Amino acid sequence: VYRNLACYYTLTNDIPNGIANLRKAADLGYNEPSWLAQEKSLDPLRNHPDFPAIAEKIRKNSLPK
């Protein structure tokens, strides 16, 4: 749900809520870094200073435990 909310808010140019929801998805264990890399609707977030850390958390979530 939070991943989709990140897309929605980003598409409506609400970057703070886009980042917040993407962070929430990562914090809850979202683990699809390939989707994150390919999803065009998130392009406006890629330059946000918090994006690299969120992307790294998603990548780490995808690693075997």
Side-chain angles (χ1 to χ4, degrees), residues 2-3 7 14 18 21-22 26 28 31-32 45 49 57-58 64:
Y2 291 103
R3 174 192 92 155
C7 292
D14 187 345
N21 280 279
L22 190 59
L28 291 173
N31 62 0
E32 294 183 36
L45 298 184
K57 181 158 182 105
I58 292 170

Side-chain angles (χ1 to χ4, degrees), residues 3 9 11 14 16 18-19 23 27 33 35 38-39 41 44 57 61:
R3 174 192 92 155
Y9 283 116
L11 287 170
D14 187 345
I19 282 289
R23 181 180 298 112
D27 289 345
W35 172 85
Q38 296 174 15
E39 181 55 46
S41 67
K57 181 158 182 105
N61 289 344

Side-chain angles (χ1 to χ4, degrees), residues 33-52:
S34 61
W35 172 85
L36 183 66
Q38 296 174 15
E39 181 55 46
K40 297 294 182 197
S41 67
L42 297 179
D43 283 352
L45 298 184
R46 296 188 197 287
N47 292 326
H48 191 281
D50 293 347
F51 187 84

Side-chain angles (χ1 to χ4, degrees), residues 1-13:
V1 170
Y2 291 103
R3 174 192 92 155
N4 292 335
L5 283 170
C7 292
Y8 168 78
Y9 283 116
T10 303
L11 287 170
T12 60
N13 293 316

